[in-house]
Amino acid sequence: MIARLLIRDLSQLLPGGQITGARGGSMLPLLFFLAVAMLYPFAVGPDAPLLAKTGGGVIWVAALLASILPLDRLVAPDVEQGVFDQLALRGVSEELVIAVRVLAHWLSFAPLLLLASVIAAALLNLSGDNLQLVLAGLLAGTPGLAAIGVTIAALTAGLRTGAALSGLLLIPLAVPILIFGAGALERQDYGAIALCGAISLVLVAIAPFAGGAAIRAAREG
Amino acid sequence: MQECSLTARELACRRGDRLLFRGLDLSLTPGDALHITGSNGIGKSSLMRILAGLMPAYAGDVVRTGAIGLVDERPALDEHAPLGKALGFWQRIDGAADNEYVRLGLADLLDVPVRYLSTGQRKRAAFARLLGQSAPIWLLDEPLNGLDRDAVVLVERIVAEHCHGGGIAVIASHQAIAVEGGQTLAIEDFAK
């Protein structure tokens, strides 16, 4: 069951799946991410030391904002189409569906984001050490971002203004990840990344239950 | 067909601060078909969702034995995927051997993305999903919406076959549907 759900989710979320009829939507957050990394040097000017000092933070902010983009199509289409109802009739719990979706969402944006970060690091004149810290931090932080994203998508699935609201909801919840993930850069400290990973794990553990409860509440309302 | 039954006692349904119906009893055994009639907004769909266990009843209880197959206004198919792939997902979940695409007139549509399908074609697709599920209890909420005359006859035949094979069918529809030996329940009788 988990494999079937995962295959379906990935075929919808992964970019460029022409054969599978996928929406290919996850290219968009990635391009948005690269666009921010590209625009930043233009905006602040070609001051290499300044770029190197602030670049890691820019990558983090860009990653966080990019993760907002796909939220409105993570859960809402399935609620509208009655997919959750049909799965519930077959004894598949909402918690399982949400847990699988967190995994699929992470797989569809995090690996590509890490690759794009290497490109962004070149644009922002980041040193090798800093790039390592950014990559390790993103690796630790993105599961948490995926968990928050899916939970918020489930919470706002039934709302008409869900897309705009979900962005506003994600930002405060993602602040702890940002503080420890990007904070590691300033202090050159892997301890902060460990904390960032711990927050991520807590969020990943909570997400299926929060998201499942949200979908049941929307159904009965 | 596995053993099945569907019993509801003293059901009441409230939406917002309106009591839609109360004191509704029904008891269905294998082979039974029940046509639920009533005007728009009287609570047919709510009753179906209560019977399916997707919505709690305001009062009363429902006892089900056997799996539930539900067809409502949402086909639960991925809009962007071709029909064959969208149905294939449910086929794999249900372990369905045959969805009777040819009989439902879907054989030529399997490559067409679901978003290009008409209302009637989506309804046929929902029936393909239902047939693949092989659930003994069918809850059909407005199953005839958007169907042409031939398809209505086909759905009536499919429901009759299902009941003949020992299944239960509950059909909520404001339209007439001919089901052999079917009982009728008018929600108006239980409206407050």
Side-chain angles (χ1 to χ4, degrees), chain A residues 85-91, chain B residues 1-2 66-71 90-91 93-99 126-140 162:
Chain A
D85 288 354
Q86 291 292 341
L87 284 170
L89 291 177
R90 288 158 173 81
Chain B
M1 188 73 63
Q2 64 190 94
I68 301 258
L70 174 75
V71 168
W90 294 110
Q91 215 169 1
I93 291 226
D94 293 328
D98 183 17
N99 287 49
F127 270 98
R129 193 197 65 222
L130 179 71
L131 286 169
Q133 194 185 352
S134 49
I137 306 175
W138 282 6
L139 301 176
L140 312 178
H162 175 68

PDB file of all heavy atoms in Angstrom, chain A residues 85-91, chain B residues 1-2 66-71 90-91 93-99 126-140 162:
ATOM      1  N   ASP A  85     -11.633  10.234   0.779  1.00  0.00           N
ATOM      2  CA  ASP A  85     -12.846   9.491   1.143  1.00  0.00           C
ATOM      3  C   ASP A  85     -12.772   8.060   0.619  1.00  0.00           C
ATOM      4  O   ASP A  85     -13.064   7.103   1.335  1.00  0.00           O
ATOM      5  CB  ASP A  85     -14.086  10.182   0.572  1.00  0.00           C
ATOM      6  CG  ASP A  85     -14.404  11.481   1.293  1.00  0.00           C
ATOM      7  OD1 ASP A  85     -13.716  11.759   2.287  1.00  0.00           O
ATOM      8  OD2 ASP A  85     -15.326  12.191   0.866  1.00  0.00           O
ATOM      9  N   GLN A  86     -12.376   7.939  -0.662  1.00  0.00           N
ATOM     10  CA  GLN A  86     -12.309   6.603  -1.248  1.00  0.00           C
ATOM     11  C   GLN A  86     -11.262   5.741  -0.537  1.00  0.00           C
ATOM     12  O   GLN A  86     -11.472   4.544  -0.331  1.00  0.00           O
ATOM     13  CB  GLN A  86     -11.981   6.693  -2.744  1.00  0.00           C
ATOM     14  CG  GLN A  86     -13.100   7.294  -3.586  1.00  0.00           C
ATOM     15  CD  GLN A  86     -14.324   6.409  -3.658  1.00  0.00           C
ATOM     16  OE1 GLN A  86     -14.254   5.210  -3.392  1.00  0.00           O
ATOM     17  NE2 GLN A  86     -15.460   6.996  -3.993  1.00  0.00           N
ATOM     18  N   LEU A  87     -10.152   6.347  -0.159  1.00  0.00           N
ATOM     19  CA  LEU A  87      -9.122   5.582   0.550  1.00  0.00           C
ATOM     20  C   LEU A  87      -9.618   5.189   1.939  1.00  0.00           C
ATOM     21  O   LEU A  87      -9.369   4.077   2.405  1.00  0.00           O
ATOM     22  CB  LEU A  87      -7.828   6.391   0.653  1.00  0.00           C
ATOM     23  CG  LEU A  87      -7.012   6.477  -0.639  1.00  0.00           C
ATOM     24  CD1 LEU A  87      -5.885   7.484  -0.506  1.00  0.00           C
ATOM     25  CD2 LEU A  87      -6.453   5.114  -1.012  1.00  0.00           C
ATOM     26  N   ALA A  88     -10.356   6.103   2.593  1.00  0.00           N
ATOM     27  CA  ALA A  88     -10.880   5.800   3.926  1.00  0.00           C
ATOM     28  C   ALA A  88     -11.845   4.616   3.858  1.00  0.00           C
ATOM     29  O   ALA A  88     -11.846   3.748   4.734  1.00  0.00           O
ATOM     30  CB  ALA A  88     -11.578   7.022   4.504  1.00  0.00           C
ATOM     31  N   LEU A  89     -12.661   4.553   2.802  1.00  0.00           N
ATOM     32  CA  LEU A  89     -13.591   3.431   2.637  1.00  0.00           C
ATOM     33  C   LEU A  89     -12.842   2.117   2.466  1.00  0.00           C
ATOM     34  O   LEU A  89     -13.368   1.053   2.738  1.00  0.00           O
ATOM     35  CB  LEU A  89     -14.499   3.655   1.422  1.00  0.00           C
ATOM     36  CG  LEU A  89     -15.527   4.770   1.559  1.00  0.00           C
ATOM     37  CD1 LEU A  89     -16.301   4.935   0.262  1.00  0.00           C
ATOM     38  CD2 LEU A  89     -16.484   4.488   2.698  1.00  0.00           C
ATOM     39  N   ARG A  90     -11.608   2.208   1.983  1.00  0.00           N
ATOM     40  CA  ARG A  90     -10.804   0.987   1.795  1.00  0.00           C
ATOM     41  C   ARG A  90      -9.914   0.730   3.003  1.00  0.00           C
ATOM     42  O   ARG A  90      -9.011  -0.092   2.938  1.00  0.00           O
ATOM     43  CB  ARG A  90      -9.957   1.121   0.529  1.00  0.00           C
ATOM     44  CG  ARG A  90     -10.786   1.023  -0.742  1.00  0.00           C
ATOM     45  CD  ARG A  90     -10.061   1.663  -1.911  1.00  0.00           C
ATOM     46  NE  ARG A  90     -10.743   1.459  -3.186  1.00  0.00           N
ATOM     47  CZ  ARG A  90     -11.775   2.178  -3.598  1.00  0.00           C
ATOM     48  NH1 ARG A  90     -12.252   3.139  -2.856  1.00  0.00           N
ATOM     49  NH2 ARG A  90     -12.336   1.925  -4.766  1.00  0.00           N
ATOM     50  N   GLY A  91     -10.132   1.470   4.063  1.00  0.00           N
ATOM     51  CA  GLY A  91      -9.404   1.210   5.295  1.00  0.00           C
ATOM     52  C   GLY A  91      -8.004   1.793   5.331  1.00  0.00           C
ATOM     53  O   GLY A  91      -7.183   1.398   6.158  1.00  0.00           O
TER      54      GLY A  91
ATOM     55  N   MET B   1     -19.617 -13.363  -3.440  1.00  0.00           N
ATOM     56  CA  MET B   1     -19.848 -12.118  -2.688  1.00  0.00           C
ATOM     57  C   MET B   1     -19.830 -12.414  -1.191  1.00  0.00           C
ATOM     58  O   MET B   1     -20.451 -13.363  -0.730  1.00  0.00           O
ATOM     59  CB  MET B   1     -21.205 -11.543  -3.111  1.00  0.00           C
ATOM     60  CG  MET B   1     -21.506 -10.167  -2.576  1.00  0.00           C
ATOM     61  SD  MET B   1     -20.574  -8.832  -3.362  1.00  0.00           S
ATOM     62  CE  MET B   1     -21.173  -8.937  -5.058  1.00  0.00           C
ATOM     63  N   GLN B   2     -19.073 -11.600  -0.456  1.00  0.00           N
ATOM     64  CA  GLN B   2     -18.996 -11.842   0.979  1.00  0.00           C
ATOM     65  C   GLN B   2     -20.309 -11.447   1.672  1.00  0.00           C
ATOM     66  O   GLN B   2     -21.153 -10.753   1.116  1.00  0.00           O
ATOM     67  CB  GLN B   2     -17.821 -11.054   1.578  1.00  0.00           C
ATOM     68  CG  GLN B   2     -17.991  -9.548   1.472  1.00  0.00           C
ATOM     69  CD  GLN B   2     -16.701  -8.820   1.861  1.00  0.00           C
ATOM     70  OE1 GLN B   2     -15.889  -8.491   1.016  1.00  0.00           O
ATOM     71  NE2 GLN B   2     -16.538  -8.579   3.139  1.00  0.00           N
ATOM     72  N   GLY B  66     -19.328  -5.768   5.780  1.00  0.00           N
ATOM     73  CA  GLY B  66     -18.963  -5.764   4.366  1.00  0.00           C
ATOM     74  C   GLY B  66     -18.407  -4.418   3.963  1.00  0.00           C
ATOM     75  O   GLY B  66     -18.714  -3.404   4.577  1.00  0.00           O
ATOM     76  N   ALA B  67     -17.591  -4.458   2.921  1.00  0.00           N
ATOM     77  CA  ALA B  67     -16.928  -3.225   2.458  1.00  0.00           C
ATOM     78  C   ALA B  67     -17.929  -2.330   1.740  1.00  0.00           C
ATOM     79  O   ALA B  67     -18.922  -2.793   1.192  1.00  0.00           O
ATOM     80  CB  ALA B  67     -15.778  -3.585   1.524  1.00  0.00           C
ATOM     81  N   ILE B  68     -17.619  -1.035   1.755  1.00  0.00           N
ATOM     82  CA  ILE B  68     -18.494  -0.037   1.143  1.00  0.00           C
ATOM     83  C   ILE B  68     -17.870   0.468  -0.148  1.00  0.00           C
ATOM     84  O   ILE B  68     -16.691   0.790  -0.184  1.00  0.00           O
ATOM     85  CB  ILE B  68     -18.663   1.168   2.087  1.00  0.00           C
ATOM     86  CG1 ILE B  68     -19.257   0.726   3.418  1.00  0.00           C
ATOM     87  CG2 ILE B  68     -19.457   2.275   1.425  1.00  0.00           C
ATOM     88  CD1 ILE B  68     -20.703   0.998   3.583  1.00  0.00           C
ATOM     89  N   GLY B  69     -18.670   0.520  -1.194  1.00  0.00           N
ATOM     90  CA  GLY B  69     -18.230   1.175  -2.431  1.00  0.00           C
ATOM     91  C   GLY B  69     -19.088   2.409  -2.634  1.00  0.00           C
ATOM     92  O   GLY B  69     -20.308   2.330  -2.582  1.00  0.00           O
ATOM     93  N   LEU B  70     -18.442   3.549  -2.826  1.00  0.00           N
ATOM     94  CA  LEU B  70     -19.183   4.811  -2.912  1.00  0.00           C
ATOM     95  C   LEU B  70     -18.960   5.468  -4.271  1.00  0.00           C
ATOM     96  O   LEU B  70     -17.834   5.592  -4.734  1.00  0.00           O
ATOM     97  CB  LEU B  70     -18.723   5.751  -1.792  1.00  0.00           C
ATOM     98  CG  LEU B  70     -19.277   7.178  -1.799  1.00  0.00           C
ATOM     99  CD1 LEU B  70     -20.722   7.201  -1.337  1.00  0.00           C
ATOM    100  CD2 LEU B  70     -18.436   8.083  -0.905  1.00  0.00           C
ATOM    101  N   VAL B  71     -20.047   5.865  -4.907  1.00  0.00           N
ATOM    102  CA  VAL B  71     -19.952   6.704  -6.102  1.00  0.00           C
ATOM    103  C   VAL B  71     -20.697   7.994  -5.799  1.00  0.00           C
ATOM    104  O   VAL B  71     -21.877   7.956  -5.488  1.00  0.00           O
ATOM    105  CB  VAL B  71     -20.576   6.010  -7.333  1.00  0.00           C
ATOM    106  CG1 VAL B  71     -20.730   7.007  -8.478  1.00  0.00           C
ATOM    107  CG2 VAL B  71     -19.711   4.847  -7.785  1.00  0.00           C
ATOM    108  N   TRP B  90      -6.429   2.850  -8.618  1.00  0.00           N
ATOM    109  CA  TRP B  90      -7.454   2.176  -7.805  1.00  0.00           C
ATOM    110  C   TRP B  90      -7.464   0.676  -8.079  1.00  0.00           C
ATOM    111  O   TRP B  90      -7.709  -0.129  -7.188  1.00  0.00           O
ATOM    112  CB  TRP B  90      -8.830   2.777  -8.082  1.00  0.00           C
ATOM    113  CG  TRP B  90      -8.911   4.202  -7.632  1.00  0.00           C
ATOM    114  CD1 TRP B  90      -8.992   5.300  -8.420  1.00  0.00           C
ATOM    115  CD2 TRP B  90      -8.881   4.684  -6.274  1.00  0.00           C
ATOM    116  NE1 TRP B  90      -9.015   6.434  -7.635  1.00  0.00           N
ATOM    117  CE2 TRP B  90      -8.950   6.083  -6.332  1.00  0.00           C
ATOM    118  CE3 TRP B  90      -8.796   4.054  -5.029  1.00  0.00           C
ATOM    119  CZ2 TRP B  90      -8.937   6.885  -5.179  1.00  0.00           C
ATOM    120  CZ3 TRP B  90      -8.781   4.839  -3.895  1.00  0.00           C
ATOM    121  CH2 TRP B  90      -8.855   6.237  -3.974  1.00  0.00           C
ATOM    122  N   GLN B  91      -7.177   0.331  -9.347  1.00  0.00           N
ATOM    123  CA  GLN B  91      -7.135  -1.088  -9.701  1.00  0.00           C
ATOM    124  C   GLN B  91      -6.078  -1.815  -8.876  1.00  0.00           C
ATOM    125  O   GLN B  91      -6.312  -2.912  -8.375  1.00  0.00           O
ATOM    126  CB  GLN B  91      -6.781  -1.189 -11.181  1.00  0.00           C
ATOM    127  CG  GLN B  91      -7.441  -2.328 -11.906  1.00  0.00           C
ATOM    128  CD  GLN B  91      -7.239  -2.187 -13.400  1.00  0.00           C
ATOM    129  OE1 GLN B  91      -6.582  -1.246 -13.884  1.00  0.00           O
ATOM    130  NE2 GLN B  91      -7.814  -3.104 -14.137  1.00  0.00           N
ATOM    131  N   ILE B  93      -4.835  -0.794  -5.975  1.00  0.00           N
ATOM    132  CA  ILE B  93      -5.208  -0.775  -4.555  1.00  0.00           C
ATOM    133  C   ILE B  93      -6.251  -1.852  -4.271  1.00  0.00           C
ATOM    134  O   ILE B  93      -6.202  -2.538  -3.254  1.00  0.00           O
ATOM    135  CB  ILE B  93      -5.755   0.622  -4.186  1.00  0.00           C
ATOM    136  CG1 ILE B  93      -4.617   1.634  -4.244  1.00  0.00           C
ATOM    137  CG2 ILE B  93      -6.445   0.595  -2.834  1.00  0.00           C
ATOM    138  CD1 ILE B  93      -4.505   2.566  -3.107  1.00  0.00           C
ATOM    139  N   ASP B  94      -7.210  -1.996  -5.197  1.00  0.00           N
ATOM    140  CA  ASP B  94      -8.292  -2.953  -4.975  1.00  0.00           C
ATOM    141  C   ASP B  94      -7.915  -4.364  -5.418  1.00  0.00           C
ATOM    142  O   ASP B  94      -8.658  -5.310  -5.163  1.00  0.00           O
ATOM    143  CB  ASP B  94      -9.549  -2.517  -5.745  1.00  0.00           C
ATOM    144  CG  ASP B  94     -10.131  -1.232  -5.194  1.00  0.00           C
ATOM    145  OD1 ASP B  94     -10.009  -1.016  -3.974  1.00  0.00           O
ATOM    146  OD2 ASP B  94     -10.697  -0.450  -5.962  1.00  0.00           O
ATOM    147  N   GLY B  95      -6.806  -4.493  -6.111  1.00  0.00           N
ATOM    148  CA  GLY B  95      -6.448  -5.791  -6.675  1.00  0.00           C
ATOM    149  C   GLY B  95      -7.477  -6.255  -7.688  1.00  0.00           C
ATOM    150  O   GLY B  95      -7.827  -7.434  -7.756  1.00  0.00           O
ATOM    151  N   ALA B  96      -7.999  -5.310  -8.486  1.00  0.00           N
ATOM    152  CA  ALA B  96      -9.087  -5.625  -9.407  1.00  0.00           C
ATOM    153  C   ALA B  96      -8.569  -6.392 -10.610  1.00  0.00           C
ATOM    154  O   ALA B  96      -7.522  -6.071 -11.159  1.00  0.00           O
ATOM    155  CB  ALA B  96      -9.760  -4.341  -9.868  1.00  0.00           C
ATOM    156  N   ALA B  97      -9.325  -7.386 -11.027  1.00  0.00           N
ATOM    157  CA  ALA B  97      -8.941  -8.153 -12.197  1.00  0.00           C
ATOM    158  C   ALA B  97      -9.508  -7.495 -13.451  1.00  0.00           C
ATOM    159  O   ALA B  97      -8.831  -7.372 -14.461  1.00  0.00           O
ATOM    160  CB  ALA B  97      -9.452  -9.582 -12.079  1.00  0.00           C
ATOM    161  N   ASP B  98     -10.745  -7.025 -13.379  1.00  0.00           N
ATOM    162  CA  ASP B  98     -11.423  -6.540 -14.577  1.00  0.00           C
ATOM    163  C   ASP B  98     -12.313  -5.353 -14.206  1.00  0.00           C
ATOM    164  O   ASP B  98     -13.150  -5.457 -13.324  1.00  0.00           O
ATOM    165  CB  ASP B  98     -12.266  -7.673 -15.165  1.00  0.00           C
ATOM    166  CG  ASP B  98     -12.940  -7.228 -16.451  1.00  0.00           C
ATOM    167  OD1 ASP B  98     -12.508  -6.216 -17.026  1.00  0.00           O
ATOM    168  OD2 ASP B  98     -13.885  -7.905 -16.874  1.00  0.00           O
ATOM    169  N   ASN B  99     -12.112  -4.229 -14.864  1.00  0.00           N
ATOM    170  CA  ASN B  99     -12.953  -3.068 -14.598  1.00  0.00           C
ATOM    171  C   ASN B  99     -14.041  -2.886 -15.646  1.00  0.00           C
ATOM    172  O   ASN B  99     -14.748  -1.898 -15.645  1.00  0.00           O
ATOM    173  CB  ASN B  99     -12.103  -1.796 -14.539  1.00  0.00           C
ATOM    174  CG  ASN B  99     -11.273  -1.732 -13.279  1.00  0.00           C
ATOM    175  OD1 ASN B  99     -10.598  -2.698 -12.943  1.00  0.00           O
ATOM    176  ND2 ASN B  99     -11.333  -0.637 -12.572  1.00  0.00           N
ATOM    177  N   ALA B 126     -16.207   6.388 -12.794  1.00  0.00           N
ATOM    178  CA  ALA B 126     -16.439   6.101 -11.374  1.00  0.00           C
ATOM    179  C   ALA B 126     -17.048   4.712 -11.212  1.00  0.00           C
ATOM    180  O   ALA B 126     -16.742   3.989 -10.259  1.00  0.00           O
ATOM    181  CB  ALA B 126     -17.355   7.168 -10.771  1.00  0.00           C
ATOM    182  N   PHE B 127     -17.916   4.327 -12.165  1.00  0.00           N
ATOM    183  CA  PHE B 127     -18.490   2.980 -12.090  1.00  0.00           C
ATOM    184  C   PHE B 127     -17.433   1.922 -12.360  1.00  0.00           C
ATOM    185  O   PHE B 127     -17.472   0.837 -11.768  1.00  0.00           O
ATOM    186  CB  PHE B 127     -19.675   2.843 -13.056  1.00  0.00           C
ATOM    187  CG  PHE B 127     -20.979   3.212 -12.420  1.00  0.00           C
ATOM    188  CD1 PHE B 127     -21.523   4.477 -12.597  1.00  0.00           C
ATOM    189  CD2 PHE B 127     -21.641   2.321 -11.590  1.00  0.00           C
ATOM    190  CE1 PHE B 127     -22.700   4.843 -11.971  1.00  0.00           C
ATOM    191  CE2 PHE B 127     -22.820   2.675 -10.965  1.00  0.00           C
ATOM    192  CZ  PHE B 127     -23.361   3.940 -11.153  1.00  0.00           C
ATOM    193  N   ALA B 128     -16.501   2.223 -13.251  1.00  0.00           N
ATOM    194  CA  ALA B 128     -15.401   1.282 -13.488  1.00  0.00           C
ATOM    195  C   ALA B 128     -14.614   1.070 -12.199  1.00  0.00           C
ATOM    196  O   ALA B 128     -14.240  -0.054 -11.852  1.00  0.00           O
ATOM    197  CB  ALA B 128     -14.487   1.814 -14.588  1.00  0.00           C
ATOM    198  N   ARG B 129     -14.367   2.164 -11.469  1.00  0.00           N
ATOM    199  CA  ARG B 129     -13.661   2.066 -10.187  1.00  0.00           C
ATOM    200  C   ARG B 129     -14.465   1.222  -9.207  1.00  0.00           C
ATOM    201  O   ARG B 129     -13.947   0.362  -8.514  1.00  0.00           O
ATOM    202  CB  ARG B 129     -13.437   3.468  -9.628  1.00  0.00           C
ATOM    203  CG  ARG B 129     -12.458   3.538  -8.491  1.00  0.00           C
ATOM    204  CD  ARG B 129     -12.610   4.839  -7.756  1.00  0.00           C
ATOM    205  NE  ARG B 129     -13.901   4.908  -7.120  1.00  0.00           N
ATOM    206  CZ  ARG B 129     -14.675   5.988  -7.104  1.00  0.00           C
ATOM    207  NH1 ARG B 129     -14.301   7.072  -7.662  1.00  0.00           N
ATOM    208  NH2 ARG B 129     -15.848   5.933  -6.515  1.00  0.00           N
ATOM    209  N   LEU B 130     -15.784   1.470  -9.176  1.00  0.00           N
ATOM    210  CA  LEU B 130     -16.658   0.743  -8.251  1.00  0.00           C
ATOM    211  C   LEU B 130     -16.672  -0.750  -8.562  1.00  0.00           C
ATOM    212  O   LEU B 130     -16.570  -1.588  -7.658  1.00  0.00           O
ATOM    213  CB  LEU B 130     -18.078   1.322  -8.345  1.00  0.00           C
ATOM    214  CG  LEU B 130     -19.126   0.655  -7.466  1.00  0.00           C
ATOM    215  CD1 LEU B 130     -18.876   1.011  -6.015  1.00  0.00           C
ATOM    216  CD2 LEU B 130     -20.521   1.088  -7.870  1.00  0.00           C
ATOM    217  N   LEU B 131     -16.772  -1.084  -9.861  1.00  0.00           N
ATOM    218  CA  LEU B 131     -16.820  -2.498 -10.234  1.00  0.00           C
ATOM    219  C   LEU B 131     -15.510  -3.192  -9.883  1.00  0.00           C
ATOM    220  O   LEU B 131     -15.507  -4.352  -9.477  1.00  0.00           O
ATOM    221  CB  LEU B 131     -17.105  -2.638 -11.736  1.00  0.00           C
ATOM    222  CG  LEU B 131     -18.549  -2.334 -12.148  1.00  0.00           C
ATOM    223  CD1 LEU B 131     -18.666  -2.226 -13.654  1.00  0.00           C
ATOM    224  CD2 LEU B 131     -19.492  -3.402 -11.620  1.00  0.00           C
ATOM    225  N   GLY B 132     -14.397  -2.457 -10.026  1.00  0.00           N
ATOM    226  CA  GLY B 132     -13.101  -3.041  -9.696  1.00  0.00           C
ATOM    227  C   GLY B 132     -12.936  -3.294  -8.213  1.00  0.00           C
ATOM    228  O   GLY B 132     -12.175  -4.153  -7.791  1.00  0.00           O
ATOM    229  N   GLN B 133     -13.662  -2.516  -7.410  1.00  0.00           N
ATOM    230  CA  GLN B 133     -13.518  -2.620  -5.956  1.00  0.00           C
ATOM    231  C   GLN B 133     -14.170  -3.897  -5.415  1.00  0.00           C
ATOM    232  O   GLN B 133     -13.802  -4.381  -4.350  1.00  0.00           O
ATOM    233  CB  GLN B 133     -14.176  -1.388  -5.313  1.00  0.00           C
ATOM    234  CG  GLN B 133     -13.816  -1.191  -3.842  1.00  0.00           C
ATOM    235  CD  GLN B 133     -14.595  -0.038  -3.226  1.00  0.00           C
ATOM    236  OE1 GLN B 133     -15.289   0.706  -3.931  1.00  0.00           O
ATOM    237  NE2 GLN B 133     -14.486   0.114  -1.926  1.00  0.00           N
ATOM    238  N   SER B 134     -15.154  -4.407  -6.157  1.00  0.00           N
ATOM    239  CA  SER B 134     -15.983  -5.557  -5.737  1.00  0.00           C
ATOM    240  C   SER B 134     -16.377  -5.498  -4.266  1.00  0.00           C
ATOM    241  O   SER B 134     -16.198  -6.445  -3.511  1.00  0.00           O
ATOM    242  CB  SER B 134     -15.335  -6.900  -6.095  1.00  0.00           C
ATOM    243  OG  SER B 134     -13.996  -6.944  -5.680  1.00  0.00           O
ATOM    244  N   ALA B 135     -16.923  -4.352  -3.850  1.00  0.00           N
ATOM    245  CA  ALA B 135     -17.457  -4.201  -2.502  1.00  0.00           C
ATOM    246  C   ALA B 135     -18.913  -4.676  -2.495  1.00  0.00           C
ATOM    247  O   ALA B 135     -19.639  -4.448  -3.457  1.00  0.00           O
ATOM    248  CB  ALA B 135     -17.403  -2.730  -2.078  1.00  0.00           C
ATOM    249  N   PRO B 136     -19.336  -5.355  -1.431  1.00  0.00           N
ATOM    250  CA  PRO B 136     -20.709  -5.867  -1.414  1.00  0.00           C
ATOM    251  C   PRO B 136     -21.771  -4.783  -1.217  1.00  0.00           C
ATOM    252  O   PRO B 136     -22.902  -4.950  -1.660  1.00  0.00           O
ATOM    253  CB  PRO B 136     -20.708  -6.853  -0.242  1.00  0.00           C
ATOM    254  CG  PRO B 136     -19.570  -6.453   0.613  1.00  0.00           C
ATOM    255  CD  PRO B 136     -18.556  -5.833  -0.289  1.00  0.00           C
ATOM    256  N   ILE B 137     -21.428  -3.698  -0.528  1.00  0.00           N
ATOM    257  CA  ILE B 137     -22.422  -2.642  -0.302  1.00  0.00           C
ATOM    258  C   ILE B 137     -22.120  -1.458  -1.203  1.00  0.00           C
ATOM    259  O   ILE B 137     -21.036  -0.884  -1.129  1.00  0.00           O
ATOM    260  CB  ILE B 137     -22.410  -2.181   1.175  1.00  0.00           C
ATOM    261  CG1 ILE B 137     -22.596  -3.369   2.100  1.00  0.00           C
ATOM    262  CG2 ILE B 137     -23.491  -1.141   1.411  1.00  0.00           C
ATOM    263  CD1 ILE B 137     -22.473  -3.021   3.569  1.00  0.00           C
ATOM    264  N   TRP B 138     -23.073  -1.108  -2.055  1.00  0.00           N
ATOM    265  CA  TRP B 138     -22.881   0.028  -2.950  1.00  0.00           C
ATOM    266  C   TRP B 138     -23.698   1.211  -2.454  1.00  0.00           C
ATOM    267  O   TRP B 138     -24.904   1.082  -2.199  1.00  0.00           O
ATOM    268  CB  TRP B 138     -23.344  -0.312  -4.367  1.00  0.00           C
ATOM    269  CG  TRP B 138     -22.382  -1.144  -5.125  1.00  0.00           C
ATOM    270  CD1 TRP B 138     -21.236  -1.712  -4.653  1.00  0.00           C
ATOM    271  CD2 TRP B 138     -22.486  -1.524  -6.508  1.00  0.00           C
ATOM    272  NE1 TRP B 138     -20.618  -2.409  -5.655  1.00  0.00           N
ATOM    273  CE2 TRP B 138     -21.363  -2.317  -6.802  1.00  0.00           C
ATOM    274  CE3 TRP B 138     -23.407  -1.271  -7.519  1.00  0.00           C
ATOM    275  CZ2 TRP B 138     -21.144  -2.852  -8.058  1.00  0.00           C
ATOM    276  CZ3 TRP B 138     -23.201  -1.797  -8.772  1.00  0.00           C
ATOM    277  CH2 TRP B 138     -22.065  -2.583  -9.042  1.00  0.00           C
ATOM    278  N   LEU B 139     -23.065   2.344  -2.318  1.00  0.00           N
ATOM    279  CA  LEU B 139     -23.782   3.578  -2.020  1.00  0.00           C
ATOM    280  C   LEU B 139     -23.616   4.482  -3.236  1.00  0.00           C
ATOM    281  O   LEU B 139     -22.510   4.930  -3.543  1.00  0.00           O
ATOM    282  CB  LEU B 139     -23.206   4.254  -0.772  1.00  0.00           C
ATOM    283  CG  LEU B 139     -23.233   3.423   0.518  1.00  0.00           C
ATOM    284  CD1 LEU B 139     -22.541   4.176   1.637  1.00  0.00           C
ATOM    285  CD2 LEU B 139     -24.656   3.097   0.917  1.00  0.00           C
ATOM    286  N   LEU B 140     -24.705   4.726  -3.941  1.00  0.00           N
ATOM    287  CA  LEU B 140     -24.627   5.504  -5.176  1.00  0.00           C
ATOM    288  C   LEU B 140     -25.374   6.814  -4.971  1.00  0.00           C
ATOM    289  O   LEU B 140     -26.583   6.828  -4.798  1.00  0.00           O
ATOM    290  CB  LEU B 140     -25.241   4.714  -6.344  1.00  0.00           C
ATOM    291  CG  LEU B 140     -24.782   3.252  -6.470  1.00  0.00           C
ATOM    292  CD1 LEU B 140     -25.494   2.573  -7.632  1.00  0.00           C
ATOM    293  CD2 LEU B 140     -23.286   3.169  -6.658  1.00  0.00           C
ATOM    294  N   HIS B 162     -25.683  -6.627  -9.534  1.00  0.00           N
ATOM    295  CA  HIS B 162     -25.004  -6.579  -8.242  1.00  0.00           C
ATOM    296  C   HIS B 162     -25.916  -7.135  -7.151  1.00  0.00           C
ATOM    297  O   HIS B 162     -25.501  -7.951  -6.323  1.00  0.00           O
ATOM    298  CB  HIS B 162     -24.615  -5.135  -7.932  1.00  0.00           C
ATOM    299  CG  HIS B 162     -24.022  -4.933  -6.571  1.00  0.00           C
ATOM    300  ND1 HIS B 162     -22.795  -5.429  -6.209  1.00  0.00           N
ATOM    301  CD2 HIS B 162     -24.505  -4.299  -5.476  1.00  0.00           C
ATOM    302  CE1 HIS B 162     -22.533  -5.103  -4.957  1.00  0.00           C
ATOM    303  NE2 HIS B 162     -23.568  -4.420  -4.486  1.00  0.00           N
TER     304      HIS B 162
END
